[in-house]
Amino acid sequence: MAFAIFGDIHGNLEALEAILNHARKNRKIKEIYFLGDAITFGPDSSACLKLLAKHKVKCVVGNHEQRVTRYDKAVKTMTYASNEHMQYIFGSLDRDDLRFIKTMPLQIKINYRGANVFFTHYVTDKDGVVKDDYEEFTESRLNKMFEYAKSDVIFFGHIHKRKIIIDENNKSYVCVGPSGCVKGDKTFYTYFEVNRESGDSHFDIYRVNVPFNRKKFEDKIYNTPLPDKENYAPHVFGMTL
């Protein structure tokens, strides 16, 4: 059994559709995990939430979802979206979307073939308050930040860069990267499997690139009245408006 893991779709429905279609065709993939931030920046926040719910994807909450469902000063600081943009996004969501967001936990922890695996969007403290503290991506730093997770493999999102530290004798860390915030015509997800040989275990983990309908997505950006899109689109999607 394998997992498909991705995060930070940010309203890019075309990328989300491509990932789910590709992952569901792989017979070894039995579970799909989404690591938060389905909404904002892109034109299809509501549609992305509905598609994740329809396919029963296991989701953790991201800071953008948290910002539209409950106020948290730390969450607001790290969202990097204007109040006008967030109000527009909130207005585009219906009651089903908000109910779905409220079902998303901060973390999911499972035991998979003897490995404790942890899924989250970002770091929290012992009380569940989010922390935006990723000054350096080193094993010692991550061990301190994720000490509370008490897991062998930790998958997280939030940082819009894909980075991996694999240490099968200690904790391993995978920052899955932003699958919706891509600047070309391919998105991606992370494939993860634990294999056991002669009593020992090792991880199969790699990036799976998936083409998506970039033109359709860009047309929606141009034609949707997203507040501040001229500021977000170049940085988030590589588009000049």
Side-chain angles (χ1 to χ4, degrees):
M1 183 175 75
F3 301 144
I5 307 160
F6 67 104
D8 292 273
I9 278 293
H10 284 293
N12 188 338
L13 180 63
E14 284 66 38
L16 177 58
E17 289 174 334
I19 289 170
L20 294 180
N21 288 338
H22 192 279
R24 285 166 61 86
K25 290 177 182 177
N26 187 326
R27 293 183 180 181
K28 295 186 73 174
I29 294 175
K30 302 302 182 184
E31 297 284 1
I32 302 176
Y33 287 85
F34 177 71
L35 304 189
D37 281 1
I39 67 172
T40 69
F41 300 139
D44 285 308
S45 290
S46 178
C48 285
L49 290 169
K50 287 178 169 56
L51 192 61
L52 290 166
K54 176 183 176 181
H55 287 277
K56 296 181 170 57
V57 175
K58 296 184 182 301
C59 302
V60 296
V61 68
N63 52 296
H64 287 253
E65 283 87 24
Q66 282 188 282
R67 188 167 167 188
V68 298
T69 54
R70 68 175 185 266
Y71 180 81
D72 182 315
K73 184 177 180 179
V75 168
K76 182 177 181 181
T77 300
M78 69 174 64
T79 302
Y80 307 118
S82 68
N83 288 333
E84 185 182 7
H85 184 86
M86 293 305 300
Q87 288 169 1
Y88 177 90
I89 296 299
F90 180 77
S92 73
L93 305 180
D94 61 27
R95 291 182 179 179
D96 288 338
D97 298 329
L98 296 174
R99 277 194 290 264
F100 180 54
I101 289 173
K102 290 178 180 179
T103 68
M104 297 177 183
L106 270 173
Q107 305 137 5
I108 297 174
K109 186 175 182 179
I110 65 170
N111 185 280
Y112 169 47
R113 305 191 73 177
N116 291 316
V117 186
F118 190 84
F119 304 95
T120 189
H121 183 69
Y122 40 23
V123 179
T124 68
D125 65 15
K126 60 183 177 61
D127 297 315
V129 177
V130 299
K131 297 162 63 178
D132 193 15
D133 186 12
Y134 298 88
E135 293 179 359
E136 52 183 326
F137 196 93
T138 63
E139 188 171 4
S140 60
R141 180 68 171 158
L142 291 168
N143 282 339
K144 182 177 180 180
M145 292 166 64
F146 283 104
E147 183 179 6
Y148 69 94
K150 301 186 185 307
S151 297
D152 303 303
V153 190
I154 297 167
F155 290 92
F156 62 101
H158 188 55
I159 305 174
H160 285 198
K161 291 182 180 179
R162 190 170 186 271
K163 299 183 179 182
I164 300 175
I165 293 176
I166 297 295
D167 183 349
E168 292 172 14
N169 296 315
N170 203 337
K171 291 182 181 179
S172 296
Y173 299 94
V174 183
C175 180
V176 297
S179 292
C181 306
V182 291
K183 296 176 172 60
D185 61 358
K186 287 185 175 63
T187 182
F188 60 92
Y189 63 88
T190 297
Y191 177 97
F192 174 68
E193 186 174 11
V194 176
N195 289 311
R196 289 194 173 276
E197 297 177 0
S198 303
D200 296 326
S201 64
H202 68 272
F203 307 142
D204 285 338
I205 179 166
Y206 53 85
R207 172 177 173 143
V208 179
N209 292 316
V210 183
F212 75 101
N213 192 333
R214 174 80 183 191
K215 184 179 185 305
K216 184 177 180 181
F217 170 73
E218 288 188 349
D219 287 344
K220 287 182 180 179
I221 290 282
Y222 288 125
N223 296 319
T224 303
L226 290 161
D228 301 317
K229 63 182 178 180
E230 66 279 2
N231 296 320
Y232 300 133
H235 173 67
V236 178
F237 304 119
M239 294 176 59
T240 302
L241 302 181

